Amino acid sequence: MTQTLTVKLLTATDFAAYGDVIEVSGEPDKLINAGMCGRYHDRAKMDFSDGVAGISIFNAKGRQLPYVVDMVERHPEGSQAFIPMTQTCFLVVVADDDNGTPVNPKAFLTCKGQSVNLYRGVWHGVLAPLYDAGQYAVVDRIGAGANLEEFYFETPFVIDAVPA
Amino acid sequence: MTQTLTVKLLTATDFAAYGDVIEVSGEPDKLINAGMCGRYHDRAKMDFSDGVAGISIFNAKGRQLPYVVDMVERHPEGSQAFIPMTQTCFLVVVADDDNGTPVNPKAFLTCKGQSVNLYRGVWHGVLAPLYDAGQYAVVDRIGAGANLEEFYFETPFVIDAVPA
């Protein structure tokens, strides 16, 4: 028994409650390097209970359709940004929280050049590059103590298709 | 009048005095997501006098050879990481410091998949994607106050060629 999860193309508006979409859009905040470079400034609301921001690399295998979402996780102590270093699109599953239980899951597909910063404590699926493997720079909290909660759905969700 | 600057392929060893090379190399520190993802953990020594880490995007035009290096800059208040979101190689120019003057410049060419984190206060050239334009996620200090010093060389350096 599964439930179907439909996928939308990722937009900053739809994602606003869950995190930042970090992308080149519109005019840069500042032109630097004698006009050769546009800076889109400070586009992620990073938020850590303690510890500091660190940069790691996630080297992830590709996922195929149909893709089963049987669990989500969250990091109560800090936000987590995923920056694709390869031109790989990836599935982003998020869910609302109802007293410690993830509800109302939503699925998004990133376009090339889009990064996401998941807000602290937001339920989300695992990193899921679609089709091909992908490398991601991850900016998240480096610090002591547990920072992971997992939740397994009684009835898993399935993604059968993605927008063209 | 110019001086020739030779370019080496970037390696962590050669770059150790100036910053971190953030890349997938060897075994991951941890396998996560049921073995589908390798985490290369906390690969950048970020260092800020105050303020916090932020994520910005730099959207930079490509540079062509011969490439003139007429200035370097440094950020006394914080480290600065450049993570290519496009598979663009870029030139990294760094220099030693001699009582406030940059000396002994060195030039490196990154390979696809390599990011760099420049240590706080290290003299460096501007972001210079080679040939094609590139987009970079930049993790640096977000905070108040001046954080930029520039130095113009009396005799500029020129990069005529890069390693194959």
Side-chain angles (χ1 to χ4, degrees), chain A residues 42-43 55-57 85 87, chain B residues 42-43 55-56 85 87:
Chain A
D42 196 17
R43 294 298 177 105
I55 303 175
S56 303
I57 299 179
M85 302 167 64
Q87 295 280 294
Chain B
D42 195 16
R43 293 297 176 105
I55 303 175
S56 302
M85 301 167 65
Q87 294 281 294

Side-chain angles (χ1 to χ4, degrees), chain A residues 22-24 32-33 35-44 46 48 53-63 73 80-81 83-87 113-115 117 126-127 135 137-142, chain B residues 22-24 32-33 35-44 46 48 53-63 73 80-81 83-87 113-115 117 126-127 135 137-142:
Chain A
I22 309 166
E23 62 189 330
V24 165
I32 59 173
N33 301 347
M36 292 291 278
C37 185
R39 180 173 179 135
Y40 296 77
H41 183 69
D42 196 17
R43 294 298 177 105
M46 292 199 281
F48 308 115
I55 303 175
S56 303
I57 299 179
F58 281 19
N59 193 21
K61 293 179 182 166
R63 308 288 184 144
E73 61 184 43
Q80 187 173 42
I83 301 161
M85 302 167 64
T86 44
Q87 295 280 294
Q114 285 183 319
S115 302
N117 179 53
V126 298
L127 179 59
Q135 286 181 16
V138 175
V139 184
D140 62 2
R141 171 185 170 271
I142 308 294
Chain B
I22 309 165
E23 62 188 329
V24 165
I32 59 174
N33 301 348
M36 292 290 280
C37 185
R39 179 171 180 135
Y40 295 78
H41 183 69
D42 195 16
R43 293 297 176 105
M46 292 200 280
F48 307 115
I55 303 175
S56 302
I57 298 179
F58 281 21
N59 193 19
K61 294 178 182 165
R63 308 288 183 144
E73 61 184 43
Q80 188 173 42
I83 301 161
M85 301 167 65
T86 44
Q87 294 281 294
Q114 285 182 318
S115 303
N117 179 53
V126 298
L127 179 60
Q135 288 182 15
V138 175
V139 184
D140 62 3
R141 170 185 170 271
I142 307 295

Side-chain angles (χ1 to χ4, degrees), chain B residues 144-163:
Chain B
N147 186 24
L148 174 66
E149 292 175 35
E150 294 179 330
F151 184 92
Y152 282 82
F153 294 113
E154 212 166 301
T155 307
F157 295 86
V158 174
I159 292 171
D160 289 309
V162 295

